Amino acid sequence: MKVCNIKKLLKAAVFVLIFAAVMMVLCQMFIPKTSDSEGGMTNPNARGFYGEPRNSIDLVVMGDSNAYCAYSPMVIWGKYGIPSYVAAEGNQTIVGAINLLDEMLKCQSPKVLVFDVNMLWSGNSNVQRMEDCINSMLGQAVPVVKYHDRWKNLQLMDSFKEKNYTFRSKTRGQRLGRCVKPYTGDDPMKKTDDTDCIPWVTRYFFEELLKKCELNDIQVLLIETPTATSWTYARHVAMEKYAEKNQLKFIDFNMMDGKYKIDWKEDTKDGGMHMNVYGAKKVTAYLGKYIAENYTFDNKKENVEYSDWNVCYKEYKRYVRKGKIYLPNDDQIENGIKDDEHE
């Protein structure tokens, strides 16, 4: 090999090493050192499990914004004494969900994962879905990409501190909302002969998530929380077939009858996209009953180590008792009449 070629290779190797060293330093600097919003943590409400005592969460619910609006850890705590957490994020990708599960498994060991399948159809095309998944993988592998906006408030003295993740969500991840804004559109669950199969991109990563759960002895329950804007009967059929083929349990809350049936005039806070606390109570009441009948959990309401849960449950009940906030049109929201979100 010529000397000039050796020099070029050496220069390239030195550049790569310097670049890698700089990226390692930047990643260390940009990773949040506290788990609250002030520390720069992404969606701290979804990551409040860091602040819970180690291995104290028995059940985790994962999904997108539909999940964190429709499931209430406080309701299932008040009835069954099961400590659960909603580790869900708005516009979540399936790879993002896998990353979040990895985060949780660093400090918690849930027995059951309740997974909202709505995100499996996120994105307008397989190209977009693949891009979203790649971005989620890149953000996990190179934290400076995920937390690059932190440079605005980053202080050099705090950049190399030890992590101190102590933030706790009083609602254990649920986003509460007492607003009532009815859904007035057509019935999205009107029966058809169509089937909208799970896109191959998200199906591949979803099956990776299922494998991870199996390796960690986590039982999986699939659900679809109520939504009139992003779910269809064709998707229900596809998910039901997939669950049956793979011996998975699946509950579609859009198909409920009787006292658990969603009232689209009263149970949604934004015109059919998300549940308010009243719709969430229905979802969680049924889900809690199903879980209690099909899984084994200890009731920990009398356990002194969970005394804070009883305090938060009382606060949750006071919030709900304040009453509904009716929003008949968008103008009222724009003019300042908003729900008092509580976490």
Side-chain angles (χ1 to χ4, degrees):
M1 185 178 293
K2 294 181 180 181
V3 174
C4 61
N5 290 335
I6 293 175
K7 288 182 177 179
K8 289 180 180 179
L9 286 174
L10 287 174
K11 287 180 179 180
V14 169
F15 173 80
V16 171
L17 288 173
I18 292 174
F19 179 79
V22 170
M23 290 302 295
M24 288 177 63
V25 172
L26 288 175
C27 286
Q28 180 61 32
M29 290 177 62
F30 277 73
I31 289 175
K33 302 306 182 290
T34 61
S35 54
D36 52 14
S37 57
E38 289 77 11
M41 178 62 77
T42 301
N43 295 321
N45 202 48
R47 291 170 171 79
F49 52 77
Y50 279 121
E52 299 294 325
R54 193 172 186 83
N55 298 326
S56 63
I57 301 297
D58 290 341
L59 183 148
V60 59
V61 176
M62 302 193 76
D64 54 20
S65 58
N66 292 350
Y68 67 53
C69 289
Y71 177 77
S72 174
M74 288 296 107
V75 168
I76 203 169
W77 172 260
K79 179 72 173 178
Y80 302 102
I82 301 172
S84 62
Y85 204 93
V86 190
E89 299 182 283
N91 299 315
Q92 181 65 284
T93 67
I94 182 59
V95 172
I98 293 173
N99 294 342
L100 195 51
L101 179 60
D102 285 336
E103 290 186 51
M104 171 168 266
L105 291 176
K106 293 177 182 177
C107 57
Q108 302 293 339
S109 53
K111 299 176 182 177
V112 175
L113 165 63
V114 178
F115 186 85
D116 189 333
V117 299
N118 188 67
M119 75 171 73
L120 299 181
W121 280 267
S122 64
N124 297 320
S125 67
N126 281 328
V127 172
Q128 181 185 342
R129 295 180 185 108
M130 183 59 74
E131 289 177 353
D132 291 341
C133 289
I134 290 172
N135 288 335
S136 294
M137 287 187 282
L138 185 61
Q140 186 74 359
V142 188
V144 70
V145 175
K146 183 176 182 179
Y147 295 109
H148 64 276
D149 285 340
R150 289 198 63 218
W151 69 268
K152 300 174 184 177
N153 302 310
L154 196 64
Q155 296 183 10
L156 186 60
M157 293 180 63
D158 297 330
S159 298
F160 298 98
K161 285 184 176 180
E162 293 291 327
K163 292 180 182 178
N164 185 28
Y165 289 177
T166 57
F167 170 77
R168 301 180 75 184
S169 165
K170 293 181 179 180
T171 63
R172 272 46 180 199
Q174 184 185 9
R175 297 290 184 92
L176 302 186
R178 293 186 290 110
C179 283
V180 177
K181 185 179 179 184
Y183 170 70
T184 57
D186 296 330
D187 180 8
M189 300 308 290
K190 184 177 180 180
K191 292 186 177 181
T192 69
D193 295 328
D194 297 332
T195 300
D196 186 0
C197 294
I198 304 173
W200 69 266
V201 174
T202 53
R203 186 177 68 246
Y204 171 81
F205 288 108
F206 175 56
E207 289 173 353
E208 291 299 303
L209 181 141
L210 294 176
K211 292 176 185 176
K212 186 179 293 289
C213 289
E214 185 177 1
L215 287 172
N216 288 276
D217 295 322
I218 301 173
Q219 299 182 72
V220 178
L221 171 61
L222 306 179
I223 66 169
E224 172 55 30
T225 50
T227 177
T229 61
S230 62
W231 192 249
T232 63
Y233 185 77
R235 292 181 180 181
H236 164 80
V237 171
M239 198 67 236
E240 200 169 49
K241 289 180 179 178
Y242 180 90
E244 183 177 356
K245 179 181 178 181
N246 292 277
Q247 297 182 315
L248 294 166
K249 298 174 182 177
F250 173 55
I251 303 171
D252 190 341
F253 285 93
N254 296 279
M255 303 294 288
M256 289 291 166
D257 289 318
K259 66 178 182 178
Y260 299 111
K261 183 178 176 63
I262 295 301
D263 181 350
W264 290 109
K265 293 181 180 179
E266 295 284 334
D267 296 336
T268 173
K269 66 179 183 179
D270 50 12
M273 184 176 296
H274 301 105
M275 294 288 93
N276 52 32
V277 292
Y278 314 104
K281 283 181 68 176
K282 287 183 181 179
V283 172
T284 312
Y286 181 91
L287 188 58
K289 181 175 180 294
Y290 182 90
I291 287 171
E293 292 174 352
N294 291 275
Y295 302 92
T296 302
F297 290 99
D298 293 331
N299 187 325
K300 297 180 177 177
K301 289 181 69 176
E302 303 301 323
N303 189 324
V304 293
E305 295 181 3
Y306 289 84
S307 58
D308 179 63
W309 286 70
N310 293 320
V311 174
C312 291
Y313 177 60
K314 291 179 181 178
E315 189 171 336
Y316 163 82
K317 290 196 296 183
R318 285 196 297 270
Y319 173 86
V320 175
R321 282 199 297 265
K322 289 182 181 179
K324 300 178 179 181
I325 303 170
Y326 285 91
L327 299 175
N329 57 59
D330 291 334
D331 293 337
Q332 288 194 350
I333 298 177
E334 292 172 359
N335 291 330
I337 302 177
K338 300 179 181 179
D339 192 7
D340 48 344
E341 291 289 342
H342 172 80
E343 298 178 6

